[in-house]
Amino acid sequence: MTIKTVFFALLVSALSLTSTHAKKASQSTYFWVIENGTETQPFSIVRIYRDDNQLVYEKQLSNVELDIKKAGTRRKLNKILRAYTSWAQRVSKLTAEEIPA
C-alpha cells in the first residue's frame, strides 16, 4: 500500500463521517494526532480532534508507519484536516438551514 493510497483512503474516510459530529463545526477548529506502533508490529492511527479535545475521527492503518518528521507527511495530513474542516462546516451550514416545505 503506497503512502498516496493511504492518504486518499484517509481523505475519503474522513469525508464519509455522519453529520452528527459536524453540527458544532462552524465554531470549532480541529487538529490531528498520529499514533505509531512498534517496529515489529507497524501501524499508524490517525485521529482528528476538535479544539475541545473531542475525538471526531479515527482511522487505523495496518502495516504503515507515518513519519511526521517528514514535511510531505505533515503537508498531506494538514490537507486532509483542511478537507475535513471544510466538509464539516458545509454540513453544519446545510443542517442549520431550514428546508422549504
Side-chain angles (χ1 to χ4, degrees):
M1 189 180 298
T2 67
I3 293 294
K4 190 173 184 178
T5 305
V6 168
F7 283 111
F8 181 73
L10 279 173
L11 181 61
V12 169
S13 297
L15 295 178
S16 67
L17 293 174
T18 63
S19 64
T20 57
H21 294 297
K23 290 187 179 178
K24 297 182 182 177
S26 61
Q27 59 266 40
S28 296
T29 56
Y30 300 88
F31 62 95
W32 52 261
V33 175
I34 302 298
E35 177 184 338
N36 284 324
T38 62
E39 287 183 23
T40 57
Q41 292 181 337
F43 68 87
S44 291
I45 301 175
V46 178
R47 293 186 178 103
I48 297 178
Y49 291 92
R50 283 196 331 220
D51 57 355
D52 61 357
N53 295 329
Q54 181 179 355
L55 178 67
V56 294
Y57 175 76
E58 178 178 287
K59 178 72 174 181
Q60 183 166 350
L61 307 167
S62 301
N63 298 320
V64 175
E65 195 166 314
L66 300 176
D67 185 2
I68 62 169
K69 293 178 186 175
K70 294 181 177 180
T73 302
R74 290 191 310 272
R75 262 193 313 273
K76 289 176 183 175
L77 286 166
N78 289 333
K79 184 176 181 179
I80 291 167
L81 188 64
R82 284 191 304 274
Y84 176 81
T85 302
S86 174
W87 172 83
Q89 288 173 345
R90 285 194 312 268
V91 169
S92 178
K93 185 177 179 181
L94 288 173
T95 57
E97 293 176 358
E98 208 172 300
I99 299 173

